[in-house]
Amino acid sequence: MKINQKNTKLHLSLSISISATFILFAKMEFGSILQFIENKNILVIGATGFLAKIFIEKILRVQPNVNKLYLLLRAADAKSASQRLQNELLGKDLFRVVREKWGSNLNSFIAEKIVLVPGDIACDVGLGVKDPDLRDDMCRDLDVIVNLAATTNFDERYDVALGLNTMGAKNVLCFAKKCVKLKVLVHVSTAYVCGEKAGLILESPCKIGETLNGISGLDIDEEKKLVDDKLNQLQAEGASDREIKDAMQQMGNQRANMYGWPNTYVFTKAMGEMIVGHLKDNLSVVILRPTIVTTTYKEPFPGWVEGVRTIDSLAVGYAKGRLTCFLGDINGIVDVIPADMVVNAIIVAMAAHANGASENAIYQVGSSVKNSVRYSNLQDYAFYYFTNKPWIGKNGKPVKVGKVKVLNSMASFHRYMALRYLLLLKGLEVVNTAFCHYFEGLYSDLNRKIKFVMRLVELYRPYLFFCGVFDDMNTERLRMAAKENGTETDLFYFDPKSINWDDYFTNIHIPGIVKYVFK
């Protein structure tokens, strides 16, 4: 698929597009979400991911009369898929409410409702599902597909990220077109497919002849060929696994930067979304773009999280005393949204567009326009929490935290690090060598802290100076339509205006990451 400016078509003006979108959403009619889910067959792709787990738990908890949840996960066979189900889903604390509800009947309930689908969306034939009968069942019976599969590592190997985030999205779309009674495909993207745009970022699709960040000249098929050629070259040269990994990581970042994206993750997600948008034809497709996803706000209980999310790595480093300075615009907006609100938006959107009304069905789910948070707020929340409830270090003593020194440019950051830490580290290295590594522990600790900060800066610099806010006009209309149609808005809430950020961060989010993330 080539994305360039040749043979571009005329587009309506922004004002006309917005008016058309308003008319579309004014006519949106849908009733009870619970009734929509009842007796439906839903395929969840990327079933062991963070949002996917919350989605699965929500469906099982609020609508046990769903017909089947097909869970596609990467596994060699049914046995390993079953092990992943137990270890990575049902065994998690997230499912404790479901476990308590069903008690001794849980296993029979799960056996009745869940169909495990070993597969791999990187495979271009039938999503890698080897059982032909299972593939036929899905093609015949599926009502909804929700694609939550992705690798979210910012500096993932280019071949891996391209296979999952880009070509994987294409493979899912091709499979969806074979499902004879499919009502809607929900493709979960990310708001940051916009690249490094500034100002108000609209919920708009990729224009013909352009990319999602407005830059021309990108050919996705050529990107795939470049990766394959590079891998063949490395293998012919006898490169080690480590050398191949490093080369693929470097290539991903280089190609992303060449076309205006800050990292491999958002670059490959942008290409995946472009493919879905351009090739969907008459299929009803919803594209949902969450911003920075955080711990659950309410359900199944407040504060659940898994893995170190984007901003949580800063909190972890700060609480453990490894983050005393950082880089960024302290007054900049950080667009965060709780995970359960994202999942609720997915469920409402899939019900709303099951009737085929999917033209420009793009939803940005975030808080920057309606109820924004600034980095200065995060700094205050972390200082307050860890001053009152300090992290206990390995030595058994509480870690004392202070205000983080925030530097507002790369130049000032490098000067600060050089004068404050790098010279000290170099001197300590000399002394440590002279005294037969007597100061090895002190040297290693300082070196680890410096590498930690430098690594975070390298990964998150584009977002620490991000100057965009994400319009959520479509998302707001979806909320309004749900309310006007009498749907269960108390059960499927996703309005960021309802969040008290002071309470959320100090009483829900930070305690949640301390409980589930800190090691």
Side-chain angles (χ1 to χ4, degrees):
M1 173 183 291
K2 192 160 188 179
I3 310 295
N4 56 36
Q5 290 185 326
K6 294 180 181 179
N7 300 318
T8 56
K9 296 181 180 179
L10 293 175
H11 293 277
L12 297 176
S13 67
L14 178 61
S15 61
I16 296 176
S17 297
I18 291 175
S19 297
T21 304
F22 178 79
I23 292 171
L24 170 68
F25 279 83
K27 295 179 179 178
M28 185 185 295
E29 294 181 2
F30 55 97
S32 166
I33 305 295
L34 291 177
Q35 287 181 12
F36 170 77
I37 300 170
E38 188 174 10
N39 295 322
K40 292 297 189 298
N41 294 301
I42 303 172
L43 171 61
V44 183
I45 299 175
T48 58
F50 175 56
L51 284 175
K53 290 175 185 175
I54 298 173
F55 177 88
I56 293 163
E57 191 278 340
K58 177 91 176 190
I59 298 295
L60 293 176
R61 176 166 47 84
V62 304
Q63 184 46 285
N65 292 323
V66 63
N67 192 52
K68 297 289 183 185
L69 282 177
Y70 290 82
L71 308 185
L72 191 144
L73 35 77
R74 298 175 73 182
D77 50 37
K79 181 179 179 181
S80 56
S82 180
Q83 290 174 340
R84 292 198 70 184
L85 174 68
Q86 294 299 325
N87 297 336
E88 300 180 41
L89 276 89
L90 301 180
K92 297 291 184 179
D93 194 32
L94 173 70
F95 285 83
R96 73 171 187 239
V97 177
V98 172
R99 290 197 299 268
E100 290 168 359
K101 176 181 178 180
W102 289 93
S104 60
N105 295 320
L106 178 65
N107 289 338
S108 59
F109 171 66
I110 294 299
E112 178 187 352
K113 298 299 176 181
I114 288 183
V115 179
L116 294 177
V117 185
D120 186 349
I121 64 168
C123 297
D124 56 7
V125 178
L127 303 181
V129 181
K130 297 177 182 177
D131 184 343
D133 292 333
L134 181 54
R135 287 201 308 269
D136 291 344
D137 288 346
M138 291 194 294
C139 288
R140 184 185 63 246
D141 296 336
L142 286 177
D143 299 291
V144 177
I145 297 177
V146 181
N147 182 15
L148 288 147
T151 173
T152 59
N153 292 336
F154 282 6
D155 59 348
E156 180 64 89
R157 291 174 51 144
Y158 194 30
D159 55 332
V160 173
L162 194 70
L164 291 174
N165 296 346
T166 304
M167 305 315 296
K170 180 180 180 181
N171 295 336
V172 170
L173 181 68
C174 292
F175 181 80
K177 289 181 177 181
K178 297 177 182 177
C179 298
V180 294
K181 55 176 283 194
L182 192 74
K183 295 174 175 60
V184 64
L185 164 64
V186 181
H187 175 79
V188 180
S189 184
T190 169
Y192 296 95
V193 293
C194 64
E196 299 189 63
K197 286 183 179 179
L200 184 65
I201 299 163
L202 300 177
E203 296 166 299
S204 55
C206 179
K207 296 179 181 179
I208 296 174
E210 291 186 358
T211 62
L212 281 165
N213 65 355
I215 294 177
S216 62
L218 174 62
D219 187 329
I220 297 175
D221 292 331
E222 181 63 21
E223 292 302 306
K224 181 69 167 62
K225 184 177 182 301
L226 287 172
V227 167
D228 292 340
D229 289 347
K230 184 65 174 179
L231 284 173
N232 290 336
Q233 176 193 337
L234 290 167
Q235 289 164 359
E237 293 171 352
S240 66
D241 290 344
R242 181 72 221 185
E243 289 170 335
I244 293 174
K245 179 182 179 182
D246 290 344
M248 284 293 102
Q249 285 181 319
Q250 184 178 27
M251 184 180 186
N253 284 317
Q254 287 175 344
R255 301 302 293 180
N257 296 159
M258 177 184 295
Y259 288 107
W261 278 276
N263 55 58
T264 306
Y265 164 59
V266 291
F267 179 43
T268 53
K269 286 294 288 184
M271 288 191 286
E273 182 180 320
M274 287 187 283
I275 285 178
V276 171
H278 284 300
L279 300 183
K280 67 185 180 70
D281 296 327
N282 295 323
L283 187 67
S284 181
V285 173
V286 171
I287 293 175
L288 193 123
R289 299 172 181 163
T291 55
I292 298 172
V293 182
T294 54
T295 55
T296 54
Y297 178 53
K298 291 182 182 178
E299 293 186 359
F301 48 85
W304 188 80
V305 71
E306 184 175 59
V308 180
R309 319 309 300 170
T310 306
I311 61 171
D312 299 338
S313 56
L314 305 179
V316 171
Y318 175 72
K320 294 185 177 181
R322 288 153 51 187
L323 189 68
T324 57
C325 69
F326 208 64
L327 173 74
D329 178 6
I330 195 67
N331 295 314
I333 292 174
V334 51
D335 198 320
V336 293
I337 189 75
D340 48 336
M341 288 194 172
V342 177
V343 165
N344 288 336
I346 291 171
I347 296 172
V348 174
M350 77 184 194
H353 292 280
N355 60 2
S358 63
E359 186 66 28
N360 293 339
I362 297 176
Y363 299 103
Q364 291 178 165
V365 185
S367 61
S368 54
V369 169
K370 294 289 192 301
N371 186 12
S372 60
V373 181
R374 298 186 182 274
Y375 282 102
S376 58
N377 299 130
L378 299 187
Q379 184 184 45
D380 292 341
Y381 298 146
F383 178 73
Y384 172 82
Y385 185 88
F386 291 113
T387 297
N388 290 281
K389 298 179 181 180
W391 176 252
I392 305 301
K394 292 181 179 179
N395 59 5
K397 297 180 180 180
V399 176
K400 186 177 181 180
V401 298
K403 287 281 187 177
V404 172
K405 183 174 182 62
V406 180
L407 302 149
N408 60 10
S409 71
M410 285 299 294
S412 62
F413 174 76
H414 284 303
R415 284 196 302 271
Y416 179 86
M417 291 298 293
L419 293 173
R420 183 74 180 269
Y421 292 105
L422 296 178
L423 288 176
L424 175 60
L425 181 67
K426 189 64 178 177
L428 189 57
E429 181 183 19
V430 173
V431 173
N432 187 43
T433 302
F435 284 83
C436 301
H437 298 280
Y438 181 80
F439 298 101
E440 186 68 29
L442 188 62
Y443 171 78
S444 297
D445 184 57
L446 180 59
N447 190 36
R448 186 167 56 252
K449 288 180 180 179
I450 291 173
K451 286 183 177 180
F452 178 81
V453 173
M454 299 299 285
R455 175 66 172 159
L456 288 183
V457 166
E458 178 186 345
L459 287 176
Y460 299 136
R461 179 198 58 76
Y463 304 103
L464 297 171
F465 290 105
F466 188 76
C467 296
V469 292
F470 294 101
D471 171 52
D472 65 347
M473 185 185 300
N474 291 351
T475 310
E476 178 62 24
R477 287 179 182 136
L478 183 67
R479 282 190 286 264
M480 291 169 56
K483 184 176 181 180
E484 290 168 1
N485 284 290
T487 59
E488 304 88 348
T489 53
D490 57 332
L491 191 58
F492 298 101
Y493 53 89
F494 55 102
D495 187 352
K497 295 194 298 292
S498 66
I499 303 172
N500 179 320
W501 291 118
D502 292 1
D503 177 69
Y504 171 75
F505 274 99
T506 57
N507 296 320
I508 296 174
H509 180 73
I510 298 180
I513 63 173
V514 168
K515 179 176 182 179
Y516 293 108
V517 174
F518 276 43
K519 303 294 183 184

